[in-house]
Amino acid sequence: MTEALLYLNAVTVTFDGFRALNELSFTVDPGEMRAIIGPNGAGKTTMMDVITGKTRPDKGDVFFNGGTTDLTRLDETEIATLGIGRKFQKPTVFESHTVLDNLRLALKGQRSALPNIFRRETAAERECIDAIFETIRLTEHRDRLGGALSHGQKQWLEIGMLLAQDPKLLLVDEPVAGMTDAETAQTAELLREINANGHSVVVVEHDMTFVRDLGVRVMCLHEGSVLAEGTLDQVSANERVIEVYLGR
Ligand code: ADP
């Protein structure tokens, strides 16, 4: 039926009669990264909640893995296990653990019960941790406490913790809010690298410099539906997008 990694078809979510998502349809291809923009209240968070199983749609289809898996029948844990990782806007690293221990916990914690966390890593796990540290630019910070990192570094560490679970699809909510310009530019580079390594990525973001830097397909949501889709230049030239979002 579809080769898409993620397929939403006519998804509707209603809260007390208010349509937060209104027949929302879009796909994410395997290996694709796309950015989602749109005004506050457009339905971006609700869309993420539907994909991750936090909110069940009233109507519509949400399929994963080329249409083989109906996500509306699964709970949040089952969906995470399928390889969908979600990064919320605020970083939630373990502040009193070292950066390395944060990654160790993410790598081993998913696999089994607590005692597993205290065993030594295998060579393959050490290699995996080293590779993630390179990607998230924190190799030199591995022995610092999580709480000692800058806001941007905490965001990268949390992305690294998600990578430890080797997600097929990474959902990232406003990663550069509160970052310096340099951190913002590094985050675009980091996400492009993660995407080039085969992870599909959906990024919700308001920072248009960052979205331009990502260089990916953009979708603008408004009132729970897709208002415009295309390159950033195409979407930002759309009169309705200017009216409801960019011209604010
Ligand atoms: P965005 O993330 O684009 O800002 P949201 O998905 O958070 O938009 O919200 C879409 C609309 O749905 C908003 O009008 C919001 O007030 C409403 N909404 C979201 N969650 C709930 C809820 N749990 N109960 C009632 N209304 C909600």
Side-chain angles (χ1 to χ4, degrees):
M1 122 202 207
T2 169
E3 293 308 311
L5 178 66
L6 179 71
Y7 170 86
L8 274 75
N9 178 49
V11 173
T12 297
V13 172
T14 313
F15 297 115
D16 302 324
F18 175 81
R19 284 194 170 202
L21 294 183
N22 188 10
E23 309 241 327
L24 176 65
S25 302
F26 71 94
T27 57
V28 177
D29 291 331
E32 181 183 1
M33 171 153 69
R34 79 159 53 201
I36 299 188
I37 61 172
N40 288 332
K44 302 179 298 295
T45 306
T46 309
M47 173 207 75
M48 299 277 219
D49 288 347
V50 164
I51 298 167
T52 54
K54 193 171 173 202
T55 297
R56 269 190 209 293
D58 305 320
K59 280 194 304 182
D61 307 311
V62 186
F63 281 101
F64 192 57
N65 274 338
T68 57
T69 313
D70 180 356
L71 296 184
T72 64
R73 292 172 183 277
L74 304 178
D75 66 28
E76 282 183 85
T77 311
E78 289 167 328
I79 290 174
T81 310
L82 284 177
I84 299 183
R86 180 177 189 177
K87 159 94 188 75
F88 288 91
Q89 191 180 338
K90 291 211 174 92
T92 53
V93 303
F94 298 107
E95 305 234 330
S96 54
H97 286 67
T98 64
V99 170
L100 175 60
D101 279 346
N102 268 273
L103 262 196
R104 278 181 173 149
L105 286 166
L107 189 70
K108 297 189 207 163
Q110 40 140 353
R111 302 231 170 112
S112 67
L114 207 58
N116 188 41
I117 288 168
F118 300 106
R119 67 167 171 75
R120 286 185 71 83
E121 283 90 15
T122 62
E125 283 168 341
R126 275 199 298 278
E127 241 172 64
C128 176
I129 286 174
D130 288 347
I132 293 173
F133 271 129
E134 289 284 314
T135 304
I136 62 174
R137 286 98 173 117
L138 291 180
T139 304
E140 270 127 59
H141 301 277
R142 53 164 70 202
D143 296 323
R144 294 176 72 195
L145 290 182
L149 297 181
S150 72
H151 168 72
Q153 289 169 331
K154 283 181 191 169
Q155 296 288 50
W156 301 338
L157 175 56
E158 204 185 350
I159 290 172
M161 290 164 77
L162 286 169
L163 285 180
Q165 290 155 39
D166 196 20
K168 284 187 183 164
L169 174 64
L170 202 51
L171 306 172
V172 192
D173 192 6
E174 295 193 40
V176 303
M179 283 191 184
T180 64
D181 289 350
E183 287 174 335
T184 299
Q186 285 239 28
T187 305
E189 205 180 290
L190 184 156
L191 287 178
R192 285 199 306 264
E193 198 173 308
I194 288 170
N195 180 235
N197 287 339
H199 305 275
S200 296
V201 186
V202 172
V203 195
V204 168
E205 188 50 71
H206 287 291
D207 184 322
M208 289 302 124
T209 309
F210 169 75
V211 171
R212 180 166 298 285
D213 217 1
L214 285 178
V216 296
R217 201 166 174 77
V218 176
M219 183 170 94
C220 180
L221 285 194
H222 177 54
E223 295 179 346
S225 314
V226 179
L227 184 63
E229 197 173 350
T231 63
L232 180 61
D233 284 340
Q234 288 166 342
V235 170
S236 46
N238 180 299
E239 282 183 16
R240 289 282 289 138
V241 173
I242 295 169
E243 189 186 324
V244 305
Y245 184 54
L246 294 175
R248 294 167 302 164

